[in-house]
Amino acid sequence: MQRRGLLIILSSPSGAGKSTLTRRLRDWDPSIQFSVSATTRDPRPGEEDGKDYRFLTQDQFRRDVAEGEMLEHAHVFGNFYGSPKGPVQAAIDRGEDVLFDIDWQGAQQIVNSALGAHTLSVFILPPSITELHRRLVSRGQDSDEVIAKRMQKSWDEISHWGSYDHVLINDNLDDTATDLQKIVEATRLRRLQQPALLEHVRKLQTEFEELK
């Protein structure tokens, strides 16, 4: 019985483990695909159009937004970024899940979009602010100034936890990854994701009438 795919949204403050959980989710089910974002910035060396990003002109991007062809979009440091609706619509119609690694603002736009009924949104919380800071420092990737900015932004992200379907506290990576998989499995069985159910029920009704 063919099912519709899901738009799986994962959000968290930086350092809560979202990137690792994303990798674990795709290791568990490689058929889950990343949404390929569109951007108006220039391609960087080695980047391929349609694989890394869809590279659009400013006019093309604005036209797509005006025509409702972007599920979500934002303006960042002089460039536009967004999630084109067409490829996502095609994927979920094929029964494929599409994964979005976005912040709360993008998540709200997708939930309120034409495909919002097929979303599954999950927010990842750290076990504590102290642990969040420790994880950022242990990466060894950012300066103290950048870490301070990430910590300052983290509370703004965390304050929107209540708008998500599910919230997981990532105090144990293995347990959180397992819980995330269970959530995806259960949501795939949601009535709305199973378009063939209506036809099956009609068939049962016909068989029932024939017994009379």
Side-chain angles (χ1 to χ4, degrees), residues 193-204:
Q193 304 311 123
Q194 300 185 70
L197 280 178
L198 179 58
E199 184 60 32
H200 183 71
V201 172
R202 286 173 176 166
K203 179 182 176 182
L204 294 177

Side-chain angles (χ1 to χ4, degrees), residues 8 23-32 97 177 180-182 184-185 188:
I8 304 172
R23 289 195 298 271
R24 295 282 287 268
L25 187 63
R26 296 189 73 225
D27 287 343
W28 168 68
D29 186 348
S31 72
I32 298 175
D97 301 324
L180 181 58
Q181 293 164 15
K182 290 177 180 177
V184 171
E185 284 186 315
R188 285 171 171 174

Side-chain angles (χ1 to χ4, degrees), residues 155-203:
W155 183 249
D156 178 56
E157 292 283 344
I158 290 172
S159 67
H160 295 278
W161 66 274
S163 62
Y164 287 74
D165 297 323
H166 299 271
V167 180
L168 298 175
I169 300 174
N170 186 23
D171 52 0
N172 180 287
L173 182 60
D174 289 338
D175 290 345
T176 306
T178 298
D179 288 342
L180 181 58
Q181 293 164 15
K182 290 177 180 177
I183 289 170
V184 171
E185 284 186 315
T187 310
R188 285 171 171 174
L189 297 175
R190 193 166 54 187
R191 177 173 55 83
L192 186 62
Q193 304 311 123
Q194 300 185 70
L197 280 178
L198 179 58
E199 184 60 32
H200 183 71
V201 172
R202 286 173 176 166
K203 179 182 176 182

Side-chain angles (χ1 to χ4, degrees), residues 82-97:
S83 301
K85 182 176 75 173
V88 176
Q89 177 76 70
I92 67 171
D93 287 346
R94 293 192 302 266
E96 300 169 359
D97 301 324

Side-chain angles (χ1 to χ4, degrees), residues 12-13 26-27 29 41 59 67 72 94-95 100 106 123 125 131 134 141 152 156 168 171 175-177 199:
S12 77
R26 296 189 73 225
D27 287 343
D29 186 348
R41 71 163 174 79
D59 288 343
E67 295 176 354
E72 56 87 24
R94 293 192 302 266
F100 295 82
F123 195 88
L125 286 171
E131 175 61 16
R134 188 198 67 78
Q141 299 175 346
Q152 187 174 8
D156 178 56
L168 298 175
D171 52 0
D175 290 345
T176 306
E199 184 60 32

Side-chain angles (χ1 to χ4, degrees), residues 97-109:
D97 301 324
V98 183
L99 184 59
F100 295 82
D101 179 349
I102 53 179
D103 65 12
W104 66 270
Q105 292 170 310
Q108 287 188 347
Q109 289 184 55

